[in-house]
Each structure stands twice: as C-alpha cells, then as structure tokens.
Amino acid sequence: MDQVTAPIFDIQRFSLHDGPGIRTLVFFKGCNLHCAWCQNPESQDVEPLVAFYTDRCNRSFDFLKACPREAINRDGFRIDYAKCDNCLACVEACSQNALRLIGEHMTPEHLFTSLMADLPYYRSSGGGVTFSGGEPTLYPKFIDQMLNLCGEEGIHTAIETCGTYSPDRWQPILNKLGLIYFDLKIIDSERHIKATGRDNKQILSNARRLVEQGLPVEFRVPLVDGYTDNHEDLQDITNFVKELKQSHIHLLSYHNMGESKIDIINGSQNTLGLKTYDACRYREIKEWFSSQDIKIFDE
Ligand code: SF4
Ligand code: SF4
C-alpha cells in the first residue's frame, strides 16, 4: 500500500491565534478555490515548487551554473516551471537563500514527530494543532491519521477550511476535530464564482450540515474592500448566520502581504492594489453586526 503523504509548506509554532492555548499551525499546500485576495498565493498549487526571492538576491547568480535544466531566467528573475524538476541544485548553490523550496511531502508520522516537540506547551496552555492552508481538506487520509495520532496524546485539534470538501468522505473525520473554522466568503453564488472561481453550493450545504450535527464550528468572514464588504454581502452573511442560529462570527481583515508573494512563484494572480483593511471600517462593520445581534469573537 502507498504511504500517505501530504505537501506541507509551513509549520508555525507558538501561535496564540487559530484555536485555544498555544498552537502549532500546519499549512497544507493546494487549494480548490482561487480567491482574488488570497494571502497565500504560493499555497494554491498542490505541487511543491522553488520560489525565487529577488529581494534576497545579491546578483552574483552562482545558482545559474548549478541548474542542469537551464530553468532559471536571470533577467526576469523567473523560474520556468515547465523545465524545473525540483532537483534543488540551485537552492543548495545560492549563498543568499534567495531560492527556497515551497512545500515538502511529509508522512503523518514525520509531521507528528515534529509536532511532539511542542507537547509541553500544549499541555500547559490547553493548546494544540491547527491544520490550515491552502485547503487541508484536500488530504482526508493524512488528516485522519494525524487526528488519530493527536487523539492518542490528548492533543486538541482544529482545522481551517473553505468548506469545499465532500461531506460523506469527511463526516467521520470531522467528528474527531476539536474545532472547525469555516470560511463564509460571499453568499451570492454569482459573486462567489467571480471572486473565487467556484460556486458556493457545496460550501453553504456543508455549513448547514455542520450546525445541524452540532459539531464545534465557528464561522469566519474575510473583509476585503469591495469584494466581501458591500452592504448586500454583509446583509447576506447576517441572514445566513441567523438561519444557522449562530450568535458569533470571526471577522478576518484583509492584509496585503500576499501580494509580494505572487512574484516569487511567477504567479498569474492579479494584484488587487488594496491596502490592509481599514481599522475604522472594521469597527463600523463590527458595530453593524452587533446591531443585528451578531457578536464578533475576540481575536
Ligand atoms: S530546482 Fe533544479 S531544475 Fe529547478 S531551477 Fe533549481 S536547479 Fe534548476
Ligand atoms: S481558500 Fe484560502 S488558500 Fe484558497 S485561494 Fe482562497 S484565500 Fe487562498
């Protein structure tokens, strides 16, 4: 039988967000949405790839000679991914760490061993592990095995999902999670397709189902200027949240750090040219939800 693996592109330790206590965030590579405002554009493709951080490059170009496939374009600071086979010769040759592999296939056992270094912090703070991305639900077997391993140690687990998963495949796995963060981006189907590349029928159905089953779900709404924060959008979210009888939601303010990451992977995503979400507008929206009897979780 093939060994189960999943591509992980980052592990962030000692986070005080994304769940109770001190947490380790595990970021999976690959996503089935393409949100216009994605803050992790390097996470969207499933396959690991070499990123080129031009701001670190001292222009000595030592790594050019190292590439056996002539896959690096010196002038454009670009990697031709059609030629690159991830041999990592350039990564090893670059003294400035200007080239870095994003994503590494790991087994559940390998990841779990790495997470166990943080076990004392989980124990002392009531913390645990949060699976994020990208979209972690692309890897049901992997997450299922991780949940079994964490369960044996009594480690709290959470997941952050855009909600596009198959409910039948995921049902037994969802039952093992301590907390499910579920994104509600846009309720209007046409506008959702335009902003994310996919309709939201499955997402809304999965949201209803989680609530019906009494699973520990918290909904999160991204605030992106002109994409998710129009009055109609906020009213739609309010109606949906009330239909689900939820008293609280999270608001996630857009920040523009993702834009600088598009270049490192030759990304085709257009930059939105937006600033980090305005703090006054955030407060207005928070108050507006409050006037609708919907509270905002403290971040
Ligand atoms: S990973 Fe290998 S093939 Fe790809 S750009 Fe670097 S040296 Fe060339
Ligand atoms: S769901 Fe998240 S990771 Fe996927 S494209 Fe949207 S913002 Fe990016």
Side-chain angles (χ1 to χ4, degrees):
M1 200 171 77
D2 285 348
Q3 172 69 63
V4 174
T5 65
I8 310 289
F9 77 93
D10 202 4
I11 297 175
Q12 289 179 8
R13 300 175 191 273
F14 308 114
S15 172
L16 295 175
H17 302 285
D18 306 280
I22 297 173
R23 308 200 67 83
T24 308
L25 312 184
V26 179
F27 293 87
F28 289 76
K29 202 162 175 339
C31 187
N32 40 20
L33 294 185
H34 292 282
C35 303
W37 56 81
C38 183
Q39 291 166 22
N40 288 324
E42 79 279 27
S43 76
Q44 290 186 6
D45 284 338
V46 167
E47 289 306 320
L49 46 73
V50 175
F52 196 161
Y53 296 81
T54 51
D55 56 332
R56 293 185 200 160
C57 181
N58 65 0
R59 312 298 193 260
S60 63
F61 296 108
D62 301 333
F63 48 79
L64 280 178
K65 296 187 287 290
C67 178
R69 302 178 67 89
E70 297 186 349
I72 308 175
N73 174 345
R74 168 188 176 138
D75 299 326
F77 291 101
R78 288 282 188 270
I79 292 177
D80 182 342
Y81 291 118
K83 291 184 184 169
C84 176
D85 64 356
N86 283 352
C87 74
L88 303 189
C90 57
V91 174
E92 282 155 26
C94 179
S95 57
Q96 304 300 310
N97 292 325
L99 294 130
R100 185 166 81 83
L101 184 69
I102 298 192
E104 177 194 359
H105 278 282
M106 296 178 90
T107 63
E109 293 77 16
H110 181 183
L111 175 61
F112 186 69
T113 302
S114 163
L115 298 179
M116 285 301 279
D118 297 339
L119 186 62
Y121 303 102
Y122 307 151
R123 293 259 193 267
S124 62
S125 69
V129 181
T130 300
F131 303 111
S132 186
E135 177 51 37
T137 65
L138 294 181
Y139 307 100
K141 276 191 194 166
F142 186 99
I143 301 258
D144 193 34
Q145 290 189 20
M146 282 304 300
L147 292 175
N148 291 342
L149 291 167
C150 290
E152 283 164 19
E153 286 294 335
I155 299 171
H156 182 273
T157 51
I159 198 166
E160 298 177 337
T161 178
C162 66
T164 48
Y165 56 84
S166 151
D168 294 334
R169 177 72 186 88
W170 266 83
Q171 190 61 59
I173 307 171
L174 293 169
N175 290 337
K176 298 180 190 175
L177 279 155
L179 186 53
I180 302 161
Y181 288 114
F182 193 106
D183 287 357
L184 291 177
K185 299 176 194 295
I186 300 173
I187 303 295
D188 180 86
S189 173
E190 287 305 313
R191 283 173 44 68
H192 193 277
I193 293 171
K194 216 167 157 194
T196 71
R198 186 166 164 161
D199 80 50
N200 58 4
K201 213 165 139 197
Q202 183 77 73
I203 296 170
L204 301 184
S205 156
N206 283 341
R208 290 188 176 99
R209 189 165 160 152
L210 287 176
V211 172
E212 279 161 19
Q213 293 173 333
L215 289 174
V217 60
E218 294 182 5
F219 293 99
R220 307 191 309 173
V221 177
L223 293 179
V224 188
D225 205 359
Y227 284 85
T228 64
D229 68 345
N230 298 320
H231 180 70
E232 295 75 19
D233 294 319
L234 300 177
Q235 186 64 62
D236 286 348
I237 292 280
T238 300
N239 296 344
F240 190 71
V241 168
K242 284 190 171 178
E243 176 198 323
L244 300 185
K245 301 196 171 26
Q246 300 295 294
S247 62
H248 284 70
I249 58 172
H250 294 269
L251 291 179
L252 306 178
S253 289
Y254 172 81
H255 63 74
N256 56 7
M257 276 156 38
E259 298 213 336
S260 61
K261 298 197 243 169
I262 296 174
D263 256 2
I264 63 171
I265 49 153
N266 307 355
S268 56
Q269 184 182 334
N270 291 324
T271 53
L272 299 182
L274 295 177
K275 295 193 178 123
T276 293
Y277 203 74
D278 183 68
C280 291
R281 178 78 179 128
Y282 176 94
R283 278 197 296 277
E284 278 171 22
I285 291 175
K286 186 174 173 181
E287 281 165 22
W288 187 79
F289 275 116
S290 177
S291 74
Q292 306 291 310
D293 291 328
I294 297 171
K295 302 275 179 296
I296 306 304
F297 284 110
D298 290 332
E299 296 298 334

